[in-house]
Amino acid sequence: MGPRCFLRLKDSDTWGEDKDTDCFLSTYTKHGHIKNEHITRNLDKKLTYKNMHLILSLYFALENINNDPHILPNISLLVKVECNLLDDWRMNSLCTKIGELLPNYYCINQRRYLIVLTGPIWLSSAMLGPLLYITNRPEIYYGPFHPLLSSHEQFPHLYQMAPKDTSLALSMVSLMVYFRWNWVGAIISDDDLGLEFLSELRREMQRNSACLAFVHIVMEDKILFRKNVNIYYNEITTSSAKVVVIYGDKDSHLQLNLRFYRLANLQRIWVTTSQWDMITYNDRFLLDSFYGTFIFLLHVSELSGFKKFIERAHDSTFTNPVSSDKLWWIYFNCSLTLFNSMNLKNCSIEKRYHWLFRHRFEVSVSITGYVLYNTVHAVAHALHEMLLQEADTLPKYSGEKLEFDSWQMIHFLKNIQFINPVGDQVNMNQKVNQDVEYDIHYSIEFLPNLGLKVKIGKFSKHLLHGQQLYVSEEMIKWNIDFSQVPSSICSVPCSPGFRKSPQQGKAVCCFDCTPCPENEISNMSDMDQCVKCPDDHYANLEGNHCLKKVVAFLGYEDLLGMSLACLALCFPILTAFVLGVFLKHKDTPTVKANNRTLSYVLLISLIFCFLCSLLFIGQPNMATCFMQQTIFAVVFTVAASTVLAKTITAVLAFKVTTPGRRMRWLLVSGGPNFIIPICTVIQLILCGIWLGTSPPFVDVDIHVEKDHILIVCNKGSIIAFYCVLGYLGSIAMGSFAVAFLARNLPDTFNEAKFLTFSMLVFCSVWVTFLPVYHSTKGKAMVAVEVF
């Protein structure tokens, strides 16, 4: 069976013919198979289309029951129909009309009724129901559920047959989430039902991050209604919300409000309930718009054979012929293949007619009609159960006049459950939480005089979350062009790379889009918060992906590393060349005057100092981290202490003027040369303490460079590192001080002046090195160390 479509003819009389009027249906029984003598008289009255459809549903149920040999055998369930009692009561005095219709007594020869079925207007049941109790008649209300009638204090013997709309708000919000509508308006009638629904709607929308753009509570007071109508119109036309939820009594001022919007040709997506299923105004749908209307209806099963029954009743009982498509919606199984899956809105009127009349039509049943159908069956099953319990007392019910105790039957009615003829389970126990299912229909003005609605999905609260709403994608694409359905949002969704920033004083659905902070991303639209990337990842420029960081270090393949390595090799070669010159001219006065041995030590230590730079280039490991600072510190200590020894030697050489003095002995014995091992041993002790307590180790730095993980040598103990560095500085400062004192000595073979200038440059470089070293990170810091 293909998807189900519904069709309804509309004309200027449809609005009046679809009005609800009260009908009291008094049930009674007779022996044998007896046709309901009231059917001709009831259908020949001037009734609205909706009343006719309701009464036909009633008689169809009675025919099913009386023709079923398994229910009430040899007993006919009959009914007396009385409509417009509430209007009659308003037009006539209470004492005359109600006294005639509902006397508080009955004569011996007068018929006693079993149960009175009241509806579909709740007001008639609320006003006339207590009078039924006085006349000893139990009451079942078959109209839409109303909380007022559930009050056992006010209506102790009234039973509501229709289920409560426990999940209507949830089902509507689920549809909004499906279409990504989060900015929605609401038009509600000012009554208990409307305010209760509004409260549930707010709660469900808050759970699903949706917001109400505006709420119009339409007052029944004429003065307040006229005062607010222009305010409401300006608000709905200026609002960016393109979806509007409608809930309330269709015979209230709410309908007048919507008529005004219809005249103004206000184009919105309407989401509403079965009450607004077929309302026309001036030959046009009241809620018709270019975008169509979504209608939520309680799930009902179609009654097999209902069309044939109506045709039979139409031929035999109607004085004025009425077509079935005016009476109520007719339905057909609309095959998508026959229409080649084309969008209905894009087809010409000729093609629509051609497609439409290929189908076989059946008459649908209204929700109220289906509830009434189940109500009559419930009465029959309860009476049948009571007769089975009292089979031995059945002879006292003999005779043409068959009467039962209504209040005794109510006991059976409240606990009865059965499967109706169309296969649905009916449970009369009101304490059992019945799961309510909704069918979702989408209605459009299909042809100039025909309305079409298509069942596009359903909602079942008892299913798992995420599976409660079922929407047929195929039916939606068939009927709705998504490019024409507007979005209903307050703010444009934030794209990946941005997060929502609430606008002060506005609803949560209204927000600004703010870029994610550094190293944070949002990989989906409309994210409330950005997500921080893992430590070994970094955010891309767009801020929507975390990229893995690349491991980096100052390597030989880098331009900087290659340049430093070349310099580190060039300087030792230059120094070795100078050393070769010294060795070649070792016996010359110049070399001898400059303390040949100390010069050799200085040049050799400088060669090793330059080569130590290579330890800082390349991927660090435990060995290189241990050697980087310690070997350089020891070798450089040798170089610095050699400079100190040379300077002291020069000073001593020029200060010795008297032979035999102690200074002469120090100079001749080579005392200044002991400075080198003494200073070196002290540095070795410091380095030993450093390596023994908190040695350097291989570490990674993930914060210095955004897109790299740097492998570096951690100094370990910073205090030990600066002690070693400070010790080198103290030797250099000592050399500078001594050289400064020797600057005015005779310059023949004297290098004191050159040492003073050299140590001045050296100290200046080291003073500059410290702040530069602390201000650089990553590869640059290693390069500064090499320098």
Side-chain angles (χ1 to χ4, degrees), residues 460-479:
S460 302
K461 185 181 179 181
H462 64 275
L463 295 179
L464 295 175
H465 182 71
Q467 302 176 1
Q468 295 173 328
L469 179 70
Y470 166 75
V471 176
S472 171
E473 294 279 356
E474 193 173 30
M475 292 304 295
I476 287 183
K477 292 177 183 177
W478 184 40
N479 294 279

Side-chain angles (χ1 to χ4, degrees), residues 8-21 48-50 250-252 254-256 259 275-276 278-286 326:
R8 182 84 187 273
L9 182 68
K10 60 184 180 68
D11 55 27
S12 57
D13 297 328
T14 308
W15 175 77
E17 294 296 329
D18 267 350
K19 291 190 67 174
D20 282 320
T21 57
T48 64
Y49 293 159
K50 205 161 191 177
K250 65 182 178 61
D251 294 323
S252 66
L254 179 56
Q255 186 179 144
L256 297 177
R259 282 193 204 175
Q275 281 209 56
W276 304 89
M278 182 61 182
I279 303 294
T280 59
Y281 180 64
N282 289 344
D283 295 342
R284 299 169 68 188
F285 283 127
L286 184 64
K326 279 189 176 183

Side-chain angles (χ1 to χ4, degrees), residues 147-382:
L148 180 64
L149 301 180
S150 296
S151 174
H152 291 285
E153 290 77 14
Q154 290 183 274
F155 308 99
H157 301 290
L158 184 146
Y159 186 94
Q160 290 200 76
M161 190 68 186
K164 184 179 180 180
D165 285 332
T166 54
S167 54
L168 178 62
L170 175 60
S171 61
M172 288 185 172
V173 173
S174 299
L175 186 71
M176 297 174 197
V177 173
Y178 179 85
F179 283 110
R180 297 183 178 89
W181 298 328
N182 66 356
W183 190 239
V184 178
I187 305 177
I188 310 295
S189 60
D190 185 23
D191 52 37
D192 293 339
L193 275 176
L195 297 177
E196 182 181 355
F197 170 77
L198 179 60
S199 176
E200 294 176 0
L201 184 67
R202 287 184 189 275
R203 183 167 59 251
E204 294 299 337
M205 292 183 72
Q206 187 174 4
R207 288 177 183 171
N208 291 274
S209 300
C211 308
L212 284 171
F214 58 85
V215 176
H216 296 170
I217 300 177
V218 181
M219 308 287 184
E220 283 302 298
D221 184 274
K222 292 182 178 179
I223 297 176
L224 290 176
F225 174 74
R226 291 170 183 169
K227 179 182 178 181
N228 293 330
V229 66
N230 287 328
I231 299 175
Y232 289 163
Y233 177 76
N234 292 332
E235 190 171 12
I236 194 173
T237 52
T238 56
S239 174
S240 60
K242 302 302 180 185
V243 177
V244 180
V245 175
I246 298 173
Y247 185 89
D249 186 1
K250 65 182 178 61
D251 294 323
S252 66
H253 281 164
L254 179 56
Q255 186 179 144
L256 297 177
N257 200 49
L258 295 175
R259 282 193 204 175
F260 177 57
Y261 296 159
R262 188 70 179 91
L263 290 173
N265 197 28
L266 188 66
Q267 298 294 318
R268 293 292 183 272
I269 300 175
W270 308 107
V271 180
T272 186
T273 61
S274 58
Q275 281 209 56
W276 304 89
D277 196 6
M278 182 61 182
I279 303 294
T280 59
Y281 180 64
N282 289 344
D283 295 342
R284 299 169 68 188
F285 283 127
L286 184 64
L287 296 181
D288 180 50
S289 74
F290 176 79
Y291 307 114
T293 303
F294 291 92
I295 304 170
F296 284 77
L297 307 96
L298 288 172
H299 173 73
V300 297
S301 299
E302 300 299 346
L303 305 180
S304 178
F306 191 38
K307 180 186 178 183
K308 292 182 179 178
F309 174 80
I310 290 178
E311 290 174 348
R312 195 166 61 250
H314 178 275
D315 295 336
S316 60
T317 59
F318 278 100
T319 303
N320 299 317
V322 178
S323 60
S324 57
D325 54 356
K326 279 189 176 183
L327 192 63
W328 192 243
W329 292 92
I330 57 176
Y331 71 91
F332 56 97
N333 295 325
C334 39
S335 172
L336 299 180
T337 56
L338 289 177
F339 205 66
N340 297 324
S341 298
M342 295 175 63
N343 187 280
L344 286 177
K345 291 183 177 180
N346 298 331
C347 295
S348 63
I349 293 179
E350 291 76 10
K351 283 188 177 181
R352 295 184 190 185
Y353 272 116
H354 179 68
W355 170 80
L356 184 62
F357 291 107
R358 290 182 177 183
H359 299 94
R360 180 176 176 269
F361 300 100
E362 296 287 342
V363 177
S364 178
V365 62
S366 67
I367 295 176
T368 306
Y370 185 72
V371 172
L372 178 58
Y373 178 85
N374 284 335
T375 305
V376 177
H377 276 276
V379 172
H381 278 81

Side-chain angles (χ1 to χ4, degrees), residues 22-26 45 80-85 101 137:
D22 61 286
C23 284
F24 279 43
L25 315 173
S26 305
K45 289 181 178 179
K80 177 186 177 184
V81 179
E82 297 172 292
C83 295
N84 298 313
L85 289 183
L101 294 177
R137 302 184 197 179

Side-chain angles (χ1 to χ4, degrees), residues 677-694:
I678 293 172
C679 292
T680 305
V681 169
I682 295 173
Q683 186 69 284
L684 285 172
I685 293 173
L686 291 174
C687 289
I689 296 173
W690 183 10
L691 296 178
T693 55
S694 181

Side-chain angles (χ1 to χ4, degrees), residues 475-490:
M475 292 304 295
I476 287 183
K477 292 177 183 177
W478 184 40
N479 294 279
I480 307 172
D481 185 355
F482 271 107
S483 63
Q484 295 176 336
V485 176
S487 60
S488 188
I489 55 178
C490 180

Side-chain angles (χ1 to χ4, degrees), residues 44 144 238 279 378 427 517 536 551 622 635 650 759:
D44 199 30
T238 56
I279 303 294
N427 191 344
D536 58 343
V551 175
M622 287 299 296
V635 173
M759 296 313 298

